[in-house]
Amino acid sequence: MKKKTSFSTKGQKADIGNITIYRMLANRYADKVGPFIFLDHIVPKLSDGVKNSGTGAHPHRGIATLTYVLDGEVEHFDSRGNHQRVHSGGIQWMKAGNGILHDETLNADSQSVNNLMHAFQFWINLPSNIKSEDPEYLAIQSSEVPQQKFAEDKGWLKVIVGAYEDLNSRIPNYSEQFLYHIHLEAGTDFTISLGDKIEVAAFLPSRKTVLNDLEFQAGEFIEFDRTAGEITLQNNEDQATDLLLFGGEEYTEPIAAEGPFVMNSSSGIAEAYRDFYAGKYGTLKHQKGKV
């Protein structure tokens, strides 16, 4: 049985400097999909050669941030001393845990002649017992991302988070969760089966695609119902298309969110701010260009 569409929507513009961003989640219909509570799409743009200044040092607590770089290079710094560059096709994951400061900058990839910048940032809500743990950081380059090629050269699936068949992401799972990048060549299709009570959404970053017999446009965010069933992706166009499919089991604990903090109560938010202003998240020392 095919899963039914609950809703579809397009994001709200949330630009930072000269980078064009569309906020896809939270949206007017949903504030979460499984453990995922935030999704920004940094739309494709040719670099003008001027280095971006980054987001600026800022705190997080209670979540994990995940940046998936399709094109470009993200440079990361945090108050735990982590400093790394992730190149096109790579992932950076940071468990904020009980509090951290970080900064990240997206620019053209220094290892590629492609001057395109294109990325996604997700926030993954952590269970209450993990929110109190120390921060962690992972940099996963493109060659380390698990990938399965489809038969007959139909395309491929990359496992960014979670598992697919015998493939497993290096990113820790604190609940059932998944994030797949699916690439379909022209005139091909792919079907995936999902279990009962699993929240799932799709995002189309570049081209229109048919999902369970309904056509959706580039830039659309689509959520499906929570009953067990299949999602069939069809690319009826004459060019390849890409799709992000993500979700997991429902996050059932209370959610209190304010600014860069996501906790389980208003008192948890207040404590997050107190600790930040008390300097408990450490300090950030930028040494850009030295990795």
Side-chain angles (χ1 to χ4, degrees):
M1 183 175 68
K2 292 184 178 180
K3 292 175 72 66
K4 294 180 180 179
T5 303
S6 300
F7 69 85
S8 65
T9 188
K10 292 200 171 183
Q12 297 294 316
K13 243 185 151 183
D15 297 357
I16 297 177
N18 65 343
I19 296 178
T20 301
I21 296 173
Y22 280 91
R23 184 146 299 157
M24 308 309 305
L25 185 69
N27 56 56
R28 58 180 174 169
Y29 301 110
D31 56 8
K32 61 184 176 64
V33 179
F36 297 90
I37 57 172
F38 179 96
L39 169 57
D40 269 359
H41 178 210
I42 303 166
V43 303
K45 179 181 179 180
L46 287 172
S47 171
D48 56 10
V50 178
K51 294 290 186 180
N52 291 307
S53 60
T55 56
H58 59 280
H60 285 296
R61 186 166 179 167
I63 59 171
T65 63
L66 183 148
T67 303
Y68 177 39
V69 191
L70 266 67
D71 294 286
E73 175 181 288
V74 169
E75 190 171 10
H76 167 95
F77 308 83
D78 67 45
S79 55
R80 292 295 178 120
N82 297 302
H83 176 203
Q84 188 57 267
R85 287 198 192 112
V86 174
H87 303 277
S88 299
I91 308 158
Q92 65 172 12
W93 174 87
M94 183 187 74
K95 183 180 81 177
N98 57 21
I100 194 169
L101 299 177
H102 83 138
D103 188 7
E104 55 188 352
T105 304
L106 175 66
N107 288 294
D109 193 338
S110 61
Q111 295 185 354
S112 172
V113 296
N114 183 352
N115 285 325
L116 196 64
M117 300 182 297
H118 187 194
F120 301 89
Q121 184 168 86
F122 292 84
W123 290 6
I124 303 170
N125 201 0
L126 298 174
S128 56
N129 62 314
I130 306 298
K131 291 179 186 290
S132 62
E133 292 185 350
D134 288 339
E136 297 178 23
Y137 174 76
L138 281 174
I140 302 172
Q141 301 297 347
S142 177
S143 61
E144 304 170 297
V145 179
Q147 177 177 325
Q148 178 171 303
K149 292 184 178 180
F150 301 147
E152 301 174 350
D153 295 324
K154 287 185 175 183
W156 45 257
L157 180 151
K158 289 184 179 180
V159 180
I160 311 303
V161 174
Y164 178 77
E165 296 185 350
D166 59 347
L167 302 179
N168 291 276
S169 170
R170 287 174 51 200
I171 293 169
N173 293 312
Y174 302 113
S175 63
E176 185 175 351
Q177 59 177 4
F178 60 89
L179 168 55
Y180 305 142
H181 177 183
I182 300 170
H183 176 87
L184 284 179
E185 296 296 336
T188 64
D189 61 82
F190 170 74
T191 298
I192 187 169
S193 297
L194 296 163
D196 197 29
K197 298 181 181 179
I198 295 297
E199 299 181 350
V200 57
F203 176 64
L204 305 177
S206 57
R207 300 188 189 283
K208 62 184 179 181
T209 305
V210 175
L211 306 178
N212 284 353
D213 304 318
L214 297 175
E215 184 176 273
F216 296 94
Q217 302 301 311
E220 282 200 79
F221 176 104
I222 306 104
E223 188 177 74
F224 296 87
D225 65 24
R226 300 181 186 180
T227 58
E230 295 181 339
I231 300 176
T232 296
L233 322 175
Q234 294 172 265
N235 180 10
N236 297 332
E237 303 305 302
D238 58 3
Q239 298 181 67
T241 190
D242 292 89
L243 175 141
L244 295 184
L245 192 71
F246 63 96
E249 63 181 290
E250 182 183 5
Y251 189 95
T252 57
E253 295 181 289
I255 298 175
E258 186 172 316
F261 305 128
V262 182
M263 305 302 291
N264 298 113
S265 65
S266 57
S267 61
I269 293 291
E271 182 183 31
Y273 275 107
R274 282 197 303 271
D275 287 351
F276 168 60
Y277 290 121
K280 293 185 178 181
Y281 296 176
T283 57
L284 196 63
K285 295 182 179 179
H286 287 66
Q287 293 182 329
K288 293 192 175 183
K290 300 178 182 180
V291 177

